[in-house]
Amino acid sequence: MKKLLILSLVTSTLVAGSALADPTAPPPGPPPHMHGHGGPGGPGGPGGPQHHAQMQQKMKEMRGQLLRHEAGLDETSAVKAEKVLDGFDTERQKGHRELGEAKRGLGDLAASDSKDEAAYKKALDALLAANRAQQDLRGRELDELRKVLSQRDTAKVILSLERMQQVMRQEMKKVRKAWLKSELDRMDSDDGDEPMPPPPPGPPPRGPGKGPNK
């Protein structure tokens, strides 16, 4: 029973964790029901407002480095690209939250073994709407980048961001799988009286945020 509880929690966390593949999205902390007042999810802990602000600033710095070094833009072009991507940050973060919530909702519904067709329809509709909003955002980002960069530089930015996304996704999967294994091993070795620690928020961003065509 305890293992089923952990698996249900991790399934929901892994499904929602896909937002981490985009380093511009704020890395999620532990699930809300696991937040402690002073621990993870607290003001200074992973998922807290201070941590969120620090990560956002760090991600912007890394995005600037990617544009200049990985994509090879000159300073003038890099500044133009940063301005475009910065302009979509708020909407992008909102979209990632909505997508994460939709995935969590669908994962929770499936984990509960519900037979409520109306609830599944609502959850799938929410997921579809969130995915469509993400696609629309990417298209608008691409349009704006093409207005301020050459077509060649736009392509270099897209390809660089895509490569970084793949690295982030691979590292996230490794961290989450390692956490799941450690929790299942722990449940086998103790009586389960100790509270389960929250899952890790994912690996530190190794590169800047993803722009269009994520």
Side-chain angles (χ1 to χ4, degrees):
M1 182 65 181
K2 292 173 182 176
K3 283 191 177 182
L4 288 176
L5 177 62
I6 292 179
L7 287 170
S8 175
L9 170 63
V10 174
T11 298
S12 177
T13 304
L14 286 174
V15 169
S18 61
L20 265 179
D22 181 356
T24 63
H33 62 280
M34 298 180 67
H35 284 177
H37 181 69
Q50 295 176 11
H51 182 259
H52 172 83
Q54 292 170 357
M55 291 304 296
Q56 284 301 112
Q57 180 59 38
K58 186 65 175 177
M59 289 170 188
K60 285 190 176 185
E61 293 173 2
M62 290 183 171
R63 182 164 65 193
Q65 293 173 11
L66 181 142
L67 292 172
R68 290 166 175 80
H69 302 296
E70 176 72 15
L73 300 185
D74 59 38
E75 185 62 24
T76 299
S77 296
V79 170
K80 290 179 180 178
E82 282 180 310
K83 185 175 180 180
V84 169
L85 296 175
D86 287 351
F88 285 95
D89 276 348
T90 299
E91 186 178 354
R92 186 186 302 109
Q93 293 161 25
K94 178 176 180 291
H96 279 296
R97 286 194 298 271
E98 292 175 348
L99 183 60
E101 290 169 2
K103 290 182 176 181
R104 277 193 298 272
L106 187 61
D108 290 345
L109 192 61
S112 72
D113 198 26
S114 171
K115 303 296 191 297
D116 188 342
E117 284 293 305
Y120 278 107
K121 181 181 184 304
K122 182 178 180 181
L124 289 169
D125 285 346
L127 181 61
L128 181 60
N131 274 310
R132 285 175 173 169
Q134 291 284 288
Q135 292 295 328
D136 176 70
L137 174 63
R138 292 164 188 161
R140 287 185 285 119
E141 279 184 328
L142 176 57
D143 286 341
E144 292 303 314
L145 283 171
R146 295 177 72 180
K147 291 177 182 178
V148 300
L149 300 177
S150 68
Q151 303 305 294
R152 178 173 179 269
D153 281 348
T154 300
K156 287 162 64 177
V157 168
I158 293 172
L159 293 174
S160 296
L161 294 170
E162 178 62 25
R163 284 193 294 272
M164 189 57 59
Q165 176 195 14
Q166 292 171 357
V167 171
M168 291 290 293
R169 185 185 295 114
Q170 291 168 359
E171 292 198 359
M172 181 189 73
K173 287 181 179 179
K174 291 178 182 178
V175 170
R176 297 290 180 174
K177 286 180 179 179
W179 176 81
L180 172 58
K181 183 179 184 303
S182 69
E183 284 307 302
L184 294 177
D185 290 344
R186 185 180 67 83
M187 295 305 296
D188 283 337
S189 63
D190 64 24
D191 59 7
D193 290 337
E194 297 181 1
M196 181 176 63
R206 288 183 53 183
K210 182 177 56 174
N213 198 24
K214 303 170 194 170

